[in-house]
Every structure is written in structure tokens, then in C-alpha cells.
Amino acid sequence: MQRLSALTDLLQHLLKWLLLALVVAVLAGTASAGFLFALDWATRTRMAHAWLIWLLPVAGFAVGWLYLRYGSSVEGGANLLIDEIHDPKKIIPLRMAPLVLGGTVISHLFGASVGREGTAVQMGGALADQLTRLFRLNNEDRRIILMAGISAGFASVFGTPLAGAIFGLEVLAIGRLRYEAMLPCLAAAVIADQVGLLWGVHHTHYAVPLIPALSAWTLCAMVLAGVLFGVTGKLFAQATHGLSGLMKRWIAYAPLRPLAGGVIIAAAVWLIGTDKYIGLGIPTIADALKEPLPAWDFLGKMAFTIVSLGTGFKGGEVTPLFYIGATLGNALGPLLHQPVTLLAAIGFVAVFAGAANTPIASTLMAMELFGAEIGVYAAIACVVAYLFSGHAGIYRAQRGGHAKRTPPKDIDA
């Protein structure tokens, strides 16, 4: 009887979380699909009308005012979700979803250099948290459903369900996974990705034409590249947070911060005569996986993204990190005597791994995007990047679970 009771409890647990994950996935997958369609429209419109960049300061002021007037309770974005998982207090206001959706689309329409994962994660988490009141979930169940919302949003916006599932577990604390949430996160990520596909979403297809056989030097090259990718991720996070802090000290009225950032970005685009460093930058990422590019492209994208995010434009960090990593890897290829396409693909995920402190999710993403054959190379670079990126990352609310390395023993001990 005791075994039967235990089996019954497990079946009830399985059914409960599969049903809840299904609801979360439908909500998050649908929201991500709508967001991706809007983002595609915004990108095409901006590229067809280059003069829109001059309206970026006005757009920045408008988004800043909307958040000041209606979004003060959700200004924390993804960090608010992480904080609520660690220390549940009150349900995420539903307004987070439309505010971040509108703010991100406006940012892309007028030329800010921001990403899309932050938007999808925030929408997924905010929509999932509305189930807390509906189903009267306790704090522990609420933590899990928020994690499932994060996984669903990440998976559906990138088309990477395995990476999305682990991202929702891994991003909360450095060096620690919440295994009790694995089933809901996996189910929500896989189903949300399928929901997006059913809505007609088409994710960018990436390919690495040549993955060399393992050798002593290729493994060493991955370690060396991983160090540089990790340091780059660390510098990106520190610079973005640093500029954000400076802007808050220098400019008290929040809407004026993205206005100032918009002026800087628009002037920079005019001065350098190219728009390749604004928006998502998907065409440049695709080019980095095909052919050699100018060695300074990663610096250009870093600068534009740091200014965009640091002055308050809405979006995310991950796709710009993909761009930075892919172009940096592309530049490192000849120096490390590796195919530029291989190191571009490795950089694509490894800079993200270091900046977000998510080496496992990043390795899985590499395998989902580029094929399982790249797994060993990606794992080495992502783990090394994670080690060399320090304990600070793009998510301020991320907590320390375990140290990244065992501290050296005192020689005199």
C-alpha cells in the first residue's frame, strides 16, 4: 500500500506540472511569436527608412516616460523575476508583458542596439505568475512556475528548448541548479517552442561548414579562446552596469537618460557611416559564420549595446552578446589557426556563457544551433569563459550558489 501511495503521489505530481507547464507554454509561446513578428516588422521598417535613427532620442524619452508613469513596479525586468524566485513577495504585475514588448519593439524600430531574450523572459515570467492567484499556488510552487515561464520564454524566442529548459534552472544562482523544477522547465520549454512554430515562427538557421577533428592544439585553442570570451563577457557586464549607475547619478529624471543615449547612438551611426552595430545584427552574425570580418566589429557592437542598455533602452543582452562573441571568434580564428566559422560559433555561445554565468545552457544551445559535433569544443570554451568571467554578470539579481573554483589553501596552514 505504501508503494502504491508513493506511485500515486508521483503520478499526481507529474500530471499537475505537465498541465501547468502546458498553460505556461501556450501563453509564453504565443507571446514570443507575436513579439518576433513585431520585431521582424520593426527591423524591416528601420532598414527601409534609415532616417528613423534620428527619432531614437524621442523614442527613448517616450519609453522612459511610459516606464516612469506606468512601469515603476516592473522596472527591474528579468532581475525582478529572479528576486521573486529567491524571495517571493508579490505577484509580478501583468503590465510587465505589454510594457517590455512595446518598449523593445520601439527600441528596435528606431535603432537601439538591444536584444530580445529579456523581453521574452519577462513576458513568460509575468504571464506564468498570473497562474499563482488563479490556482492558489504556494510560494514553492510559485518559484517553480516562474522558472518555467523563464524557460518557456527563452526557448520560444530562440528555438532552443533544451537550452531554454536549463537556462531557467541555471540563471538563478551561480553554480547551483534547482532540480525540483527540471520537469516543469523542460516541459514548458519544449511545448513553448512548438507553440511558436505552430504560429509560423521561423528561427534563423545557422551552420558551421567545418568542425575539425579533436587534437591537442584544437583543445588548447578552445581554452585560450574561452579565456578571452570570458573576459569579454565580464567587461561587457561591468561596463553596462557602470554606465547605468553613472546615468542615474548624472541624470535624475529617468526619461532623459535614453534620450541622451539616443542622441549619442544616432550621432555615432552618422559619424561612422554604417548601421551594422544597431538592432539585432543577425546578418552580421550569419556572415561571421561564413567568412572573415573586420577584427573591430565586436568592439563596435559592444560600444553601441553598452550605451543602449546603460542609458535605459529596453530589450535584452543575449543577442548582442551572440554578435559580440561571433565576431570576436571570427577575429581570433587566424590567430589561433582555427577555422573562423568554428570559433565564431564557439564565441556565439561562450561570451554569453561568461556574461550570464550559464555554461551548461550555453553548451546545449551550441549543440541545438550548430549540431552535436560541436559539443566538446563548446563545452570547453563555455566552462573556461564561465570561470574567467568573475562572479558578476548581466543579471544583478543572480546569487552566488557555489564558488567557481576551490580557493587556494594557505601555504602556511
Side-chain angles (χ1 to χ4, degrees):
M1 288 297 294
Q2 193 172 12
R3 290 182 179 179
L4 180 60
S5 176
L7 179 60
T8 301
D9 288 343
L10 282 174
L11 289 174
Q12 289 177 344
H13 175 83
L14 176 66
L15 181 61
K16 167 188 171 180
W17 283 112
L18 286 179
L19 290 175
L20 286 173
L22 174 63
V23 177
V24 170
V26 171
L27 293 173
T30 300
S32 290
F35 168 56
L36 288 174
F37 292 139
L39 199 56
D40 182 62
W41 168 82
T43 300
R44 286 187 285 104
T45 302
R46 190 197 76 244
M47 293 178 69
H49 305 284
W51 56 267
L52 285 172
I53 188 68
W54 295 110
L55 296 180
L56 184 60
V58 179
F61 182 90
V63 172
W65 183 86
L66 283 173
Y67 265 83
L68 181 65
R69 180 69 176 82
Y70 302 105
S72 58
S73 61
V74 296
E75 181 70 28
N79 289 297
L80 176 60
L81 297 178
I82 296 173
D83 278 333
E84 283 295 323
I85 293 170
H86 286 303
D87 186 18
K89 292 180 179 178
K90 56 183 180 180
I91 294 174
I92 305 292
L94 184 59
R95 71 173 70 96
M96 173 183 272
L99 277 173
V100 73
L101 171 63
T104 304
V105 172
I106 290 172
S107 295
H108 279 280
L109 176 62
F110 293 98
S113 177
V114 293
R116 50 189 172 172
E117 118 289 337
T119 305
V121 163
Q122 290 177 56
M123 291 193 301
L127 292 169
D129 207 17
Q130 307 313 304
L131 303 182
T132 297
R133 185 180 291 113
L134 180 63
F135 293 104
R136 299 181 180 180
L137 302 178
N138 58 35
N139 281 344
E140 190 55 38
D141 285 350
R142 182 176 175 236
R143 288 188 178 99
I144 293 175
I145 207 161
L146 279 171
M147 294 164 71
I150 290 173
S151 291
F154 191 96
S156 56
V157 82
F158 291 125
T160 54
L162 293 180
I166 300 303
F167 180 81
L169 302 171
E170 194 176 21
V171 72
L172 306 178
I174 297 173
R176 186 176 65 200
L177 296 179
R178 296 283 298 269
Y179 285 96
E180 71 275 17
M182 187 171 291
L183 171 65
C185 286
L186 178 61
V190 172
I191 298 171
D193 177 49
Q194 292 300 308
V195 168
L197 295 176
L198 288 174
W199 279 112
V201 168
H202 297 285
H203 298 289
T204 305
H205 175 71
Y206 300 104
V208 179
L210 175 62
I211 299 178
L214 288 174
S215 70
W217 175 243
T218 56
L219 297 179
C220 289
M222 293 306 115
V223 172
L224 293 173
V227 172
L228 295 174
F229 293 145
V231 171
T232 300
K234 178 179 182 178
L235 292 175
F236 174 87
Q238 290 178 335
T240 303
H241 294 322
L243 179 59
S244 178
L246 286 175
M247 294 299 293
K248 289 176 181 178
R249 288 198 294 271
W250 291 345
I251 303 177
Y253 188 55
L256 291 179
R257 297 170 200 151
L259 184 150
V263 170
I264 295 170
I265 293 167
V269 169
W270 176 71
L271 284 171
I272 65 177
T274 180
D275 62 357
K276 71 184 297 185
Y277 303 127
I278 62 176
L280 285 176
I282 299 296
T284 303
I285 295 174
D287 288 342
L289 294 163
K290 297 176 184 175
E291 59 194 22
L293 296 180
W296 55 83
D297 275 351
F298 80 97
L299 291 173
K301 188 63 172 178
M302 276 188 72
F304 275 83
T305 307
I306 288 167
V307 172
S308 296
L309 294 173
T311 57
F313 282 97
K314 301 303 175 184
E317 301 92 343
V318 174
T319 304
L321 287 170
F322 293 162
Y323 183 123
I324 294 165
T327 51
L328 174 57
N330 186 284
L332 290 176
L335 298 177
L336 296 177
H337 303 288
Q338 297 297 309
V340 294
T341 55
L342 173 66
L343 274 184
I346 297 300
F348 183 111
V349 294
V351 172
F352 165 53
N357 292 305
T358 54
I360 302 174
S362 302
T363 300
L364 289 173
M365 171 172 272
M367 296 171 71
E368 289 183 294
L369 292 177
F370 307 117
E373 297 83 2
I374 205 170
V376 172
Y377 295 123
I380 293 171
C382 288
V383 169
V384 173
Y386 165 76
L387 178 64
F388 276 81
S389 65
H391 283 81
I394 55 177
Y395 303 110
R396 287 182 177 272
Q398 193 177 55
R399 300 191 180 182
H402 295 283
K404 292 188 176 183
R405 66 185 181 95
T406 303
K409 294 182 180 180
D410 190 341
I411 296 176
D412 297 326

